[in-house]
Amino acid sequence: MKTTFPDYDHCITAIPNSILKHFGAEEGRKTSALLDSCLKKEYENIVVLLLDGMGKRIIDRNLDREGFFQRHLKGVYSSVFPPTTVAATASMLSGRNPCEHGWLGRDCYFPQIDRNVTVFSNKETDTGLPAADYPVASRYCGYEDIVQRINRICGKETAYYAAPFAAPYPKTFEDVTGRIAGLYSRPGRKFIYAYWNEPDWTMHRKGCHSEASKALLRELEAKVEKMCGGLDNTLLLITADHGLMDSECVTIEDYPKLLECLVRLPSIEPRALNFFVKPGKKEQFLSEFQKEFGEKFLLLSKEEVIQRQLFGPDKEHPSFRNMLGDYLAVAVSDLTIYRTKEEVDTIIAVHAGLTEAEMEIPLIIVEK
């Protein structure tokens, strides 16, 4: 299985940075030459539609090569590390890489409160209880997103969301496309950031190439094509945060000699495990991990993670290094290590490792 590291010269963060540059943000950040060229045409409407989990391999293996998405495929980009929703959507929204914004994965260790937090739910990862009476990730790793930033630059409402996390809180994909259509009809230049949680949700539970996943992808493709029929003077960019692959899953609870070495259960992701090791237990940890998972995971010390610039080559968030444990184990195979048996029993497809299937994302461009 091919190990694929993120290409930070040609990755998802270039997409928002090209758009921000187009709206007047001049920071000298890496942009997409392809998008920069498209944006010279001064479209009235610029829309980014991010379909969660729809990696390049997903569309190659599930959709017709003569279909709408493949006909409009213009490029292949890298996700960030880890290729997972929290890290990659934060990069899409901020134009920054994970070492800069600090949203490293589903479960992050926050040194300010000395605990692991599931960032989207704001709950303690280990107990499921509220982590705090404030949003922990936003307080300690907050950022101005692309919609907020464009509106600040333009001095008026120019940018909008069409996503379940923002009013009017669409509940179906039809609600998302309807929101895009409604915003499109408003006069003036505008940017719309749209997001939907599929095909990720279905693939996790049914597998990457199941009939359910294939049917869902065909349905999403048809609905996007139908929406495009009503657009004009619009640049629509369709992409993903990461891809997925089917996996064999185990739980760390089944490896007591490894578990006894840890200060706390691992954070970040089941395919990018952040380990804090007890004093005096590092030799045992290294020996046990190598014995059980040596060919399946790339085990890096904290120093190696920083030296490799795995989370990005940019200026680090002040909390970044303290969020990292002593070691990071990254999947380079189809094996995934979950924290609990409940997760193992419900998940088929996964992401956040260093494989091509997880890392490569499409850039589909529709010019109307």
Side-chain angles (χ1 to χ4, degrees), residues 159-368:
Y160 305 88
Y161 307 101
F165 57 77
Y169 306 107
K171 292 181 172 59
T172 66
F173 189 60
E174 289 81 356
D175 291 341
V176 172
T177 57
R179 169 76 169 158
I180 294 170
L183 291 168
Y184 155 80
S185 64
R186 296 183 184 183
R189 187 173 70 143
K190 65 191 75 70
F191 168 73
I192 303 167
Y193 173 73
Y195 166 87
W196 190 238
N197 66 350
E198 293 283 18
D200 181 86
W201 195 93
T202 296
M203 289 189 169
H204 274 308
R205 292 154 182 81
K206 302 294 185 180
C208 289
H209 311 298
S210 66
E211 287 305 314
S213 296
K214 289 180 180 180
L216 173 71
L217 278 158
R218 289 193 293 266
E219 181 182 345
L220 291 171
E221 182 179 43
K223 288 177 178 178
V224 172
E225 184 172 14
K226 181 179 178 181
M227 178 189 73
C228 288
L231 300 180
D232 186 37
N233 200 8
T234 298
L235 177 67
L236 172 64
L237 312 173
I238 304 161
T239 190
D241 45 356
H242 57 78
L244 293 96
M245 63 179 295
D246 292 346
S247 175
E248 175 189 352
C249 299
V250 298
T251 172
I252 197 166
E253 294 173 344
D254 292 332
Y255 301 89
K257 290 185 179 179
L258 191 60
L259 200 56
E260 70 183 24
C261 298
L262 304 180
V263 175
R264 60 180 63 83
L265 286 172
S267 54
I268 301 186
E269 291 281 347
R271 290 177 63 76
L273 299 118
N274 192 36
F275 290 112
F276 288 83
V277 180
K278 292 175 182 176
K281 289 286 188 178
K282 287 189 176 180
E283 286 189 13
Q284 179 181 333
F285 171 80
L286 291 171
S287 174
E288 287 297 319
F289 194 90
Q290 184 64 31
K291 179 179 73 174
E292 302 291 354
F293 306 113
E295 296 181 358
K296 303 288 186 178
F297 281 77
L298 176 65
L299 186 64
L300 302 171
S301 68
K302 179 176 182 175
E303 293 73 22
E304 288 173 317
V305 170
I306 293 167
Q307 184 180 23
R308 285 173 178 254
Q309 299 181 322
L310 190 58
F311 290 88
D314 313 280
K315 182 179 179 181
E316 296 171 2
H317 188 281
S319 298
F320 172 66
R321 295 196 181 196
N322 290 329
M323 296 172 79
L324 296 180
D326 301 291
Y327 294 95
L328 181 73
V330 189
V332 292
S333 70
D334 63 353
L335 184 68
T336 302
I337 308 173
Y338 279 97
R339 296 158 55 95
T340 66
K341 192 173 187 304
E342 288 74 18
E343 292 176 296
V344 171
D345 290 341
T346 58
I347 298 297
I348 297 174
V350 297
H351 52 81
L354 288 176
T355 71
E356 187 175 77
E358 297 161 279
M359 194 64 69
E360 288 193 345
I361 57 174
L363 181 58
I364 298 163
I365 300 178
V366 182
E367 299 181 84
K368 299 292 288 183

Side-chain angles (χ1 to χ4, degrees), residues 6-26:
D7 178 0
Y8 287 110
D9 289 324
H10 193 69
C11 78
I12 192 172
T13 53
I15 298 171
N17 285 327
S18 281
I19 295 166
L20 285 165
K21 178 183 175 182
H22 177 72
F23 280 96
E26 295 288 348

Side-chain angles (χ1 to χ4, degrees), residues 33-47 68-69 71-74 184 224 227-238 363-368:
L34 174 60
L35 283 191
D36 291 343
S37 176
C38 292
L39 289 165
K40 289 178 182 178
K41 299 176 185 178
E42 295 292 341
Y43 290 97
E44 187 170 89
N45 309 292
I46 301 168
V47 182
F68 185 77
F69 284 168
R71 291 201 315 271
H72 290 89
L73 179 68
K74 302 299 182 183
Y184 155 80
V224 172
M227 178 189 73
C228 288
L231 300 180
D232 186 37
N233 200 8
T234 298
L235 177 67
L236 172 64
L237 312 173
I238 304 161
L363 181 58
I364 298 163
I365 300 178
V366 182
E367 299 181 84
K368 299 292 288 183

Side-chain angles (χ1 to χ4, degrees), residues 113-165:
I113 60 173
D114 191 31
R115 68 192 71 167
N116 294 334
V117 176
T118 302
V119 296
F120 282 165
S121 67
N122 200 46
K123 293 181 178 179
E124 288 187 24
T125 308
D126 296 338
T127 66
L129 298 173
D133 59 2
Y134 56 85
V136 173
S138 296
R139 173 172 290 192
Y140 299 122
C141 297
Y143 59 85
E144 184 182 40
D145 72 33
I146 188 170
V147 170
Q148 296 164 335
R149 198 160 165 206
I150 288 172
N151 286 334
R152 176 174 58 79
I153 291 168
C154 295
K156 60 180 180 178
E157 194 172 37
T158 303
Y160 305 88
Y161 307 101
F165 57 77

